[in-house]
Amino acid sequence: MDIRKEHILVVILMAGIIGFFGIPHISQPSCQPVRQVDLDETFLVLPRETDLNVTFSVLPRMSYPQPFLDKPRRTDVLLMSPWLAPIVWEGTFNRDILNAQYRQKNVIVGVATFAVKKYVRFIEGFLGSANKFFLSGHRVNFYLFTDHPEKVPSMKLAPEKRLFIIPVQNYSRWQDISMNRMDIISSHIRSRWRYEVDYLYSMDIDVQMFEHIGVEIIDTLVGTISSWQYTKPRDSNSYERRPESRAAIPSGEGDFYYAASFYGGSVSEVYRLTTACFKGVTEDRANGIEAKWHEESHLNKYLLYHKPTRLLSPEYYWDEELSRPRIVRVKRLSSVRKDLKEVRF
Ligand code: UD2
């Protein structure tokens, strides 16, 4: 009998033993804690997600000013949070290097924005400026939710940009339109966007872009520091402080005040964020309470306990009603002035 025949005999013998006695079971000690993982809440299979921490491949030779450790590019602003997340300001990064890196990844970024009821009037300004200034040269899918698809102006977008118009119901209260965005975003990530984009940003529609907003905004979890409250002490910021609300932040806590008009990150992190915030909104509704600044309050609570990996300075959302200080060198994105009473009703 040669070796091959012996092997076959052993395999047949083992198969017989397993068939008769079953597969041997290695028992776990019964006192081992069973880890409960709620698959629905925590896991998403993300076929498209790109891990930016995996090294970029070799860059082309480039010429740019040398960085020096003892010569910081900005000394007038905070460049790093206490948990070492960069705060993005004009003058602190080189967009050519970033672009060269991100082109290799062929990243697709999604932007979710809502134009419901009278807010359809802001679509043209938003899309026109975003087409020019938002992630220029990179692939972007704009997901525009509206109750008036027929009113979306036809616009020619750059070849790497795509517009998807998604019908959505309206709500009588503007606060509900604003708050339900979180729910709609999380369910679209689950059903569709996880297959389509790597990163996802939520943006208000009543804004316009005036300067480039590039790949410097891309990271795992990204919040924008509000232009209204970037110098205030934490206890005078607009956090929800009533303990009955799920958005409550106890007095003495708080890092920055984040604007709900512009946040984002990897698809899985935005899924976790929007799911958690909308859960808070729903629980507040059941308890007959509404957070002071609606979903923005829930966002602030979330980002306090899930620290953003990158923060955008108020350059990335400057409120038109404010006069611009010297430290905000560039107004990249700004709110459009609106008559609140007229536009919301
Ligand atoms: C703040 C936040 C906003 C949201 C809101 C909730 C900033 C800069 N913005 O903005 O993100 O948290 O407070 O209180 O921090 N919308 C419609 N139709 C409506 C009403 C709203 O489509 O009738 C959508 C639209 O995309 C709009 C967004 O909801 O951009 C937020 O509403 P807003 O801009 O009126 O809220 P505002 O300016 O108080």
Side-chain angles (χ1 to χ4, degrees), residues 80-134:
M80 194 74 89
S81 75
W83 56 94
L84 296 181
I87 305 174
V88 185
W89 294 94
E90 173 68 3
T92 61
F93 58 91
N94 182 315
R95 184 166 281 125
D96 294 336
I97 306 174
L98 293 174
N99 276 338
Q101 288 181 318
Y102 280 81
R103 285 219 177 86
Q104 296 180 355
K105 288 277 174 193
N106 205 15
V107 160
I108 304 182
V109 174
V111 173
T113 188
F114 289 71
V116 177
K117 298 207 278 196
K118 292 184 184 171
Y119 280 60
V120 289
R121 68 180 64 164
F122 300 116
I123 296 173
E124 195 162 357
F126 175 89
L127 278 181
S129 62
N131 187 40
K132 189 167 172 197
F133 293 117
F134 191 77

Side-chain angles (χ1 to χ4, degrees), residues 237-301:
N237 270 347
S238 299
Y239 300 129
E240 174 59 72
R241 297 288 189 190
R242 291 171 298 168
E244 309 85 65
S245 169
R246 290 279 181 261
I249 292 178
S251 165
E253 290 187 45
D255 300 311
F256 303 96
Y257 189 84
Y258 301 102
S261 60
F262 190 10
Y263 63 85
S266 71
V267 174
S268 56
E269 285 306 323
V270 176
Y271 178 73
R272 290 191 183 104
L273 180 156
T274 48
T275 308
C277 288
F278 193 69
K279 191 164 176 265
V281 169
T282 312
E283 286 172 12
D284 275 3
R285 278 178 183 157
N287 294 327
I289 189 166
E290 189 165 88
K292 187 172 176 184
W293 283 103
H294 317 107
E295 86 286 2
E296 189 167 81
S297 304
H298 292 273
L299 175 79
N300 272 277
K301 163 116 181 248

Side-chain angles (χ1 to χ4, degrees), residues 74 76-80 86-93 216 225 230 311-316 327-329 332:
R74 296 275 303 253
D76 55 341
V77 286
L78 186 68
L79 299 181
M80 194 74 89
I87 305 174
V88 185
W89 294 94
E90 173 68 3
T92 61
F93 58 91
E216 75 276 5
I225 299 169
Y230 65 98
L311 297 101
L312 305 181
S313 70
E315 290 169 10
Y316 290 82
I327 59 165
V328 180
R329 292 186 186 165
R332 299 183 193 281

Side-chain angles (χ1 to χ4, degrees), residues 186 203 220 271 307 309:
S186 101
M203 298 177 91
T220 308
Y271 178 73
K307 303 288 193 210
T309 56

